């Protein structure tokens, strides 16, 4: 049953990709709502309700300038991957949990992701002399999920809601690694975090499956070595051989992301065997992003894919002391030419490309044949995001 249910999910996602491009067309939605967990790559407004981040960069212009024309709490100039998913699936935008009030808000789907959130609890970091950016871990997000379930009524009613939801768990974990790397931990030290981070993600996925989830999409780690923030941080301390010749990214940091992704995929395989009735899909963000960085022109990006659009100066347009939104900083003229918005987060254009790639099936594991046949169809060629 498991392979069949994966195919089904991929098929639905492919239909969604077609919808994203054509902006319409028939087909009854298989999903009625989205529940999402994660960090600033997925947060659509929660961080504005957390005191530590309520006045953070994403609360100020130029955040949101491209699409919403105002800051919404999203860490981008416009929409995030989750926004493109819900548009493609034609379901409501999930209510940011901390902005919701009553059951009706939550029945439309809920976004539990918080900018700065970690997979692991604060105690883990404190035991290593480190401090999280915000007091929110996956444990908070799962307890919020349980609160929501209770608000939604009887167990039978809850299951009707979870079974018709698409669960998006991740990306999550990038802050766990950032916190340590920013405090001079070695990559080797940070690699020891990986099994803990994967364990925390596994625990969320297990919880949502126990609550009746039929489909769980798990995006993997992004290529950390291509993040302008980390490229700027390590500038001068990495020698020439430390950079990948094709991408210009830092190999050691990308190795950390790949280690995370291998662990994630092993964990997912185990969960699939244990839960044959649930479709568990791995979304390969690492490849989606590195493909853009290696061939930016192919996807409509300009030739400096490792420089941030908004913020500082230097080779990567990044300076922690002049973060996007701070006095004296400015956004580039055309964010759609850039992959990185502020040195940490992606532009709307990159998010769109990533979402399309995942929806097309090209970066969804376990469906290689299907995505090949998809690419050769008329509909496939019509998709703007094919490149
Ligand atoms: C997350 O949970 C911890 C521990 O229960 C708590 O101290 C913290 O305030 C929670 N965060 C938020 C934003 O509610
Ligand atoms: C990390 O190391 C650099 C260079 O040795 C130093 O300037 C910086 O203060 C250190 N940062 C922390 C948080 O320890």
């Amino acid at each position: 049953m498991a392979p069949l249910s994966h195919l089904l999910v991929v098929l639905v996602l492919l239909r969604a990709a077609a919808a994203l491009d054509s902006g319409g067309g028939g087909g009854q939605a298989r999903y009625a709502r989205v529940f999402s967990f994660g960090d600033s790559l997925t947060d659509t407004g929660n961080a504005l309700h957390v005191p530590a981040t309520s006045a953070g960069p994403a609360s100020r212009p130029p955040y949101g300038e491209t699409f919403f024309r105002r800051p919404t709490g999203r860490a981008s100039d416009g929409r995030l991957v989750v926004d493109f998913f819900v548009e493609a699936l034609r379901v409501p935008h999930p209510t940011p949990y901390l902005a919701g009030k009553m059951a009706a808000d939550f029945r439309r789907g809920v976004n539990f992701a918080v900018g700065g959130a970690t997979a692991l609890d604060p105690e883990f970091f404190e035991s290593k002399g480190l401090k999280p950016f915000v007091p929110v871990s996956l444990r908070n997000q799962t307890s919020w999920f349980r609160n929501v379930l209770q608000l939604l009524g009887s167990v039978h009613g809850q299951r009707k809601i979870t079974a018709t939801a698409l669960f998006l768990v991740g990306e999550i974990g990038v802050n766990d690694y950032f916190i340590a790397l920013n405090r001079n931990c070695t990559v080797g030290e940070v690699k020891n975090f990986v099994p803990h981070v994967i364990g925390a993600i596994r625990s969320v996925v297990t919880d949502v499956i126990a609550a009746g989830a039929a489909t769980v999409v798990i995006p993997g780690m992004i290529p950390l070595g291509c993040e302008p923030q980390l490229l700027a941080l390590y500038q001068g301390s990495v020698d020439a051989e430390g950079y990948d010749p094709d991408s210009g990214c830092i190999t050691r940091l990308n190795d950390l992301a790949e280690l995370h992704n291998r662990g994630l995929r092993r964990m997912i395989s185990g969960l699939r065997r244990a839960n044959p009735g649930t479709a568990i899909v791995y979304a390969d963000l690492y490849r989606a992003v590195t493909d853009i960085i290696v061939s930016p022109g192919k996807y409509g990006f300009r030739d400096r894919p490792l420089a941030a659009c908004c913020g500082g100066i230097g080779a990567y347009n990044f300076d922690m002391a002049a973060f996007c939104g701070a006095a004296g900083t400015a956004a580039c003229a055309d964010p759609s030419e850039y992959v990185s918005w502020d040195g940490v987060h992606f532009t709307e254009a990159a998010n769109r490309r990533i979402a399309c790639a995942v929806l097309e099936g090209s970066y969804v594991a376990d469906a290689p044949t299907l995505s090949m046949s998809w690419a050769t169809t008329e509909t496939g060629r019509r998709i703007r995001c094919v490149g």
Side-chain angles (χ1 to χ4, degrees):
M1 272 324 280
L4 236 187
S5 57
H6 295 152
L7 279 189
L8 218 59
V9 174
V10 172
L11 278 170
V12 172
L13 293 177
L14 293 179
R15 267 219 317 264
L20 190 58
D21 185 57
S22 61
Q28 209 192 330
R30 177 182 148 95
Y31 301 108
R33 59 190 65 75
V34 166
F35 289 108
S36 47
F37 299 78
D39 52 34
S40 53
L41 294 185
T42 309
D43 185 359
T44 53
N46 285 314
L48 296 182
H49 298 270
V50 175
T53 45
S54 60
S59 70
R60 293 193 295 266
Y63 283 79
E65 66 170 21
T66 298
F67 184 77
F68 302 97
R69 314 269 172 215
R70 63 182 169 85
T72 63
R74 287 170 176 79
S76 180
D77 58 312
R79 288 166 287 183
L80 308 182
V81 171
V82 64
D83 293 312
F84 287 113
F85 277 8
V86 301
E87 285 179 25
L89 296 167
R90 274 180 268 136
V91 299
H93 282 269
T95 305
Y97 174 75
L98 296 174
K101 289 187 183 63
M102 40 197 181
D105 299 329
F106 298 127
R107 234 172 238 124
R108 305 160 51 81
V110 186
N111 188 351
F112 300 100
V114 179
T118 48
L120 298 170
D121 294 333
E123 294 76 37
F124 176 86
F125 299 100
E126 280 153 17
S127 75
K128 300 189 154 39
L130 301 167
K131 197 173 179 307
F133 304 125
V134 293
V136 180
S137 68
L138 280 180
R139 197 187 294 271
N140 296 82
Q141 297 185 31
T142 42
S143 92
W144 296 344
F145 174 61
R146 288 198 199 97
N147 294 347
V148 163
L149 284 181
Q150 282 188 343
L151 271 177
L152 294 178
S154 68
V155 170
H156 177 70
Q158 292 170 17
R159 291 205 161 245
K160 269 171 73 179
I161 286 171
T162 51
T164 50
L166 179 79
F167 284 80
L168 188 63
V169 181
E171 171 285 326
I172 182 80
V174 76
N175 292 312
D176 300 70
Y177 306 138
F178 274 169
I179 287 167
L181 294 169
N182 278 318
R183 292 288 303 274
N184 292 349
C185 291
T186 66
V187 174
E189 285 166 340
V190 179
K191 280 184 173 173
N192 293 327
F193 294 11
V194 171
H196 301 276
V197 170
I198 302 301
I201 299 172
R202 184 181 193 283
S203 159
V204 178
V205 179
T206 309
D207 277 10
V208 302
I209 292 173
T215 309
V216 188
V217 175
I218 308 178
M221 185 50 52
I222 57 173
L224 295 166
C226 309
E227 282 283 283
Q229 184 220 165
L230 292 177
L231 284 158
L233 180 73
Y234 282 83
Q235 207 169 5
S237 62
V238 175
D239 54 24
E241 299 89 83
Y243 292 92
D244 177 72
D246 296 325
S247 63
C249 304
I250 299 173
T251 309
R252 244 168 358 117
L253 293 172
N254 276 353
D255 288 347
L256 168 62
E258 294 200 57
L259 181 74
H260 171 105
N261 288 337
R262 279 197 301 277
L264 193 61
R265 295 182 72 159
R266 256 198 313 276
M267 178 273 277
I268 290 171
S269 304
L271 282 181
R272 281 181 185 149
R273 278 193 298 274
N275 301 278
T278 307
I280 309 175
V281 178
Y282 171 73
D284 194 344
L285 297 197
Y286 185 96
R287 265 183 56 210
V289 175
T290 45
D291 281 3
I292 304 175
I293 287 168
V294 171
S295 318
K298 181 174 164 195
Y299 301 105
F301 294 88
R302 64 180 238 150
D303 231 19
R304 259 181 88 200
L306 298 178
C309 160
C310 178
I313 44 161
Y316 304 109
N317 286 356
F318 184 86
D319 179 357
M320 204 43 130
F323 202 86
C324 178
T329 62
C332 60
D334 185 357
S336 76
E337 296 179 340
Y338 286 75
V339 178
S340 182
W341 162 243
D342 58 8
V344 180
H345 310 100
F346 301 112
T347 56
E348 164 166 309
N351 285 328
R352 183 191 176 87
R353 173 63 217 153
I354 295 165
C356 287
V358 171
L359 291 168
E360 281 161 26
S362 27
Y363 300 97
V364 175
D366 309 324
T369 342
L370 196 64
S371 56
M372 259 156 55
S373 66
W374 168 251
T376 59
T377 64
E378 203 47 49
T379 333
R381 277 196 292 276
R382 249 196 7 241
I383 292 194
R384 232 190 309 161
C385 28
V386 155

